[in-house]
Amino acid sequence: MDLSKTDLPQTEDEWRVRLTPAEFRVLRQADTEAPFTGEYTDTKTKGVYRCRACGAELFTSDTKFDSHCGWPSFFQPLAEDRVRYIEDNSMGMRRVEVRCANCDSHLGHVFEGEGYGTPTDQRYCINSISLTLEPRED
């Protein structure tokens, strides 16, 4: 399911019908799932992670790493045009929100300079409920 922008729901009420209440809270209202509860937090399965709302390919398992933060972490998106960034000054801190570029759904946040041994020194901290995993065989 990779929906084009013309096939996407146009109103929040249409999104509410398409998504479960928990998915709607995170994807459309920028909520955060509880740490260490998401289905992909510790997953090692190889494949492509897609936006749960529209099916757009966002991340690959090749860029997923163990950050032990409670959410799936990636050091880069599949391509920069797959996500968009919004400055988020909520909760008394400066963060950068990550959204799906195709459907504008909330995915999580990106942090940098935390000292992880990754090629980009970035951690895309993404809610499991914002993703689906399409496994691939090696």
Side-chain angles (χ1 to χ4, degrees), residues 1 3 5 8-9 11-12 15-16 18-19 23-31 50-56 58-59 82-86 97-109 126-127 129-131:
M1 164 184 94
L3 299 177
K5 290 190 184 230
L8 294 173
T11 68
E12 292 307 299
W15 278 113
R16 201 178 298 274
R18 177 184 206 79
L19 302 170
E23 291 168 348
F24 184 82
R25 277 192 306 278
V26 173
L27 288 158
R28 304 308 302 170
Q29 296 179 317
D31 199 359
R50 294 176 173 269
C51 175
R52 189 175 297 261
C54 73
L58 300 172
F59 300 94
R82 304 300 173 102
V83 296
R84 72 183 198 90
Y85 305 97
I86 299 172
E97 180 184 0
V98 181
R99 290 185 166 257
C100 174
N102 189 51
C103 70
D104 200 39
S105 288
H106 173 76
L107 303 172
H109 290 85
I126 307 298
N127 292 285
I129 202 166
S130 296
L131 303 170

Side-chain angles (χ1 to χ4, degrees), residues 116-135:
Y116 289 103
T118 63
T120 63
D121 196 26
Q122 293 182 313
R123 176 174 58 96
Y124 286 78
C125 183
I126 307 298
N127 292 285
S128 285
I129 202 166
S130 296
L131 303 170
T132 60
L133 173 59
E134 182 180 301

